[in-house]
Amino acid sequence: MYLTVCQQLKHLSKDEFLILRELCRTAKKLTNQAIYQIRQHYFEHSQYLPYEKNYAILKTSENYRLLNSNMAQQILKEVDEAFKSFFSLLKLAKQGKYPFSSFSLT
């Protein structure tokens, strides 16, 4: 199940709306870059790429530089937490402690 939030912003000028839209797109691009780096590192080295190393790789990217550093770091931390959770669940599933087959995706 995917949850989304739809927020209507009122009383924005056209310029403010365009700036906000561009910031959201940049945040999305940085999220995708972080996910890509972690996946590629895992495929190549069979190891998880921790936040610190992913940060070192992405801090010079254009998307990171376009955002405030605290915003960009928070995005990288959220991706890191999501992957830590994913790998923890995989570990539990391999040990037979997480019955993932009993859950449906609908």
Side-chain angles (χ1 to χ4, degrees):
M1 173 197 272
Y2 295 102
L3 299 176
T4 60
V5 175
C6 182
Q7 184 71 35
Q8 292 185 354
L9 301 174
K10 298 179 180 181
H11 311 296
L12 288 178
S13 69
K14 185 175 182 176
D15 290 337
E16 290 171 332
F17 173 78
L18 293 175
I19 290 169
L20 188 59
R21 187 173 68 177
E22 189 59 34
L23 283 172
C24 290
R25 285 181 179 168
T26 304
K28 176 194 70 161
K29 290 177 186 178
L30 181 61
T31 301
N32 289 336
Q33 276 185 310
I35 292 169
Y36 179 80
Q37 289 295 331
I38 292 171
R39 290 185 72 231
Q40 290 305 111
H41 187 270
Y42 184 77
F43 293 147
E44 292 171 8
H45 304 287
S46 298
Q47 292 181 354
Y48 173 67
L49 181 67
Y51 163 78
E52 294 79 13
K53 291 182 181 180
N54 203 12
Y55 166 75
I57 294 168
L58 292 175
K59 70 180 178 182
T60 58
S61 77
E62 179 180 353
N63 294 317
Y64 187 92
R65 288 185 285 126
L66 289 174
L67 297 171
N68 289 337
S69 63
N70 60 347
M71 190 184 311
Q73 286 175 7
Q74 187 61 36
I75 289 169
L76 296 181
K77 288 178 184 178
E78 286 177 7
V79 170
D80 183 61
E81 286 299 317
F83 270 95
K84 282 181 181 177
S85 175
F86 171 73
F87 284 117
S88 295
L89 287 176
L90 277 182
K91 191 178 197 180
L92 288 175
K94 287 180 182 178
Q95 295 171 353
K97 297 179 182 178
Y98 181 74
F100 62 91
S101 61
S102 65
F103 296 100
S104 69
L105 297 176
T106 57

